[in-house]
Amino acid sequence: MTEETDQDHRTEDDIRHGLLYSRVLDGHGGAREVHWQEACDWKPEKPGEVLWIHLDRSAEGIREWLMSQIGLPEATADLMVSHETHPRAFQEEGALIAVLRGINFNPGAKPEDMISMQLWADEHRVITLRRRRLQSPRDVMKQLDAGNGPKTAGGLVTEIIEQLVARMNRAILDMNDKLDHLEQIDFTKEHETALDDIAVIRRNCLSLKRHMSPQHEALSAIGRDAPKWFSDMNRRDVREVIARLHRYLGDLDVSKESAILIQDDIDSRAASQSNKTMYLLSIVAAIFLPMGFLTGLLGINVGGMPGVDNANAFMITVIALVAIMLLQLWVFRKLKWL
């Protein structure tokens, strides 16, 4: 189920309050859909139930609702609806607050155009907010609707984090596929196209690392000081995600270095081809220099020019010029210039 399909189920009240979707986890991997008013009035009816609300933070009244309904301090509510996207994570009165980033795979978007997502969670409720469409929460929702999703608030938070980081690998694999293709192409025919692709890859690598390095720090903060309601498995999952993200950041460095090596190879081949061309032009110029001198000398309009009255003078001159050229070619080959 995509977000567009899920939005078909929304009521006017849901749309007005920016509710994208909301689920009550049953503690067994499944969930049931709830709408805005039921989510606002929700209280656990059975052991293990957890409420997850996914909101559009650009909707009006979200900040006020977070303060009045959830009881967030004003500063925290401001952070949850802010366009400030620098990743961070901290605890406040037993709740986990985090600002995270995900890869933008929306049609026509660039991978480095990251999408931020704010998260607030306690033992019984998880609230996520975003401004633009983000695939990772939808994937988690699909798992819940299929009955094989997370069972606890800690499991839901770690699953969302895992999905955000896992999608980074897809962007890296796409870049590596392009690098593999670039290594196989004929640079003499696709020189400009290859340079454009390499520039895009290098820019993506730098941008992704600039955005994801702070996310590594945010996840490390969660791992060091996980909420008490995180289980041991949740803590292990967070540590595994941190290790995976660290590997991905290393892969970005490798991809960037590979792009630099390919660009250096292209530049080296282009310089070598240019040198060969200049060398060939120099040889041609050296061959025609003495012949040009002779023809120029014979072309001056002064008295006393030899052969003026000789009918065979032109043929003799041509033969002499050909002989000079052949002599030069022999000398050049002897000197290994050709």
Side-chain angles (χ1 to χ4, degrees), residues 205-221:
C205 287
L206 291 172
S207 182
L208 286 174
K209 186 161 186 180
R210 185 175 68 252
H211 289 311
M212 300 308 287
S213 293
Q215 182 132 312
H216 184 272
E217 298 176 6
L219 297 183
S220 297

Side-chain angles (χ1 to χ4, degrees), residues 11 30 64 116 156 198-199 210 240 295 331:
T11 65
E64 291 72 17
S116 65
L156 177 58
I198 290 173
R210 185 175 68 252
E240 176 60 30
T295 55
V331 172

Side-chain angles (χ1 to χ4, degrees), residues 41 51 71 160 171 264 273 283:
D41 299 335
L51 174 67
I160 292 173
D264 289 344
Q273 185 64 37
I283 293 296

Side-chain angles (χ1 to χ4, degrees), residues 81-131:
V81 299
S82 171
H83 295 321
E84 169 60 41
T85 61
H86 187 80
R88 68 181 80 174
F90 59 92
Q91 287 192 58
E92 186 176 71
E93 299 179 356
L96 174 66
I97 295 99
V99 178
L100 303 172
R101 284 173 175 159
I103 301 292
N104 188 353
F105 286 111
N106 291 321
K110 299 178 181 179
E112 73 274 13
D113 185 16
M114 309 292 286
I115 300 177
S116 65
M117 184 188 73
Q118 284 90 336
L119 180 147
W120 179 95
D122 64 11
E123 188 174 1
H124 301 292
R125 293 173 297 180
V126 176
I127 300 173
T128 53
L129 304 96
R130 60 74 167 156
R131 185 168 62 90

Side-chain angles (χ1 to χ4, degrees), residues 24-28 32 42-50 124:
V24 174
L25 282 63
D26 58 15
H28 302 286
R32 62 182 175 87
W42 178 85
K43 289 182 176 57
E45 297 177 356
K46 300 177 183 178
E49 283 192 341
V50 174
H124 301 292

Side-chain angles (χ1 to χ4, degrees), residues 49-67:
E49 283 192 341
V50 174
L51 174 67
W52 176 27
I53 303 176
H54 190 53
L55 299 170
D56 180 354
R57 71 169 186 264
S58 62
E60 293 184 6
I62 293 293
R63 175 179 175 275
E64 291 72 17
W65 180 84
L66 289 171
M67 290 189 293

Side-chain angles (χ1 to χ4, degrees), residues 174-335:
D174 289 345
M175 286 190 293
N176 288 339
D177 289 341
K178 290 181 181 179
L179 288 171
D180 291 340
H181 173 70
L182 288 171
E183 290 177 349
Q184 305 298 325
I185 67 173
D186 185 355
F187 295 125
T188 59
K189 297 180 180 179
E190 303 180 58
H191 179 267
E192 293 299 329
T193 302
L195 288 178
D196 290 341
D197 290 341
I198 290 173
V200 170
I201 291 173
R202 292 183 64 181
R203 185 165 57 249
N204 288 349
C205 287
L206 291 172
S207 182
L208 286 174
K209 186 161 186 180
R210 185 175 68 252
H211 289 311
M212 300 308 287
S213 293
Q215 182 132 312
H216 184 272
E217 298 176 6
L219 297 183
S220 297
I222 297 175
R224 287 192 307 268
D225 188 24
K228 294 180 180 179
W229 39 272
F230 264 41
S231 67
D232 291 339
M233 181 177 293
N234 298 151
R235 298 170 194 270
R236 287 195 299 269
D237 289 342
V238 171
R239 288 195 294 268
E240 176 60 30
V241 172
I242 293 171
R244 192 185 309 165
L245 180 55
H246 183 73
R247 292 195 299 271
Y248 292 164
L249 290 173
D251 290 343
L252 283 176
D253 288 332
V254 173
S255 298
K256 183 181 69 174
E257 292 299 325
S258 298
I260 292 175
L261 287 175
I262 294 175
Q263 182 169 359
D264 289 344
D265 185 33
I266 294 175
D267 292 341
S268 177
R269 294 188 188 189
S272 177
Q273 185 64 37
S274 177
N275 289 337
K276 289 180 180 179
T277 303
M278 294 302 297
Y279 182 76
L280 180 61
L281 291 176
S282 298
I283 293 296
V284 171
I287 291 174
F288 284 95
L289 181 62
M291 292 187 290
F293 171 75
L294 288 178
T295 55
L297 181 64
L298 294 176
I300 58 178
N301 190 20
V302 294
M305 290 296 298
V308 173
D309 299 323
N310 188 345
N312 298 320
F314 176 75
M315 185 59 64
I316 295 172
T317 301
V318 171
I319 293 173
L321 291 176
V322 172
I324 292 173
M325 183 179 68
L326 294 175
L327 177 63
Q328 286 181 293
L329 291 174
W330 179 82
V331 172
F332 289 166
R333 284 189 175 276
K334 200 70 173 177
L335 296 175

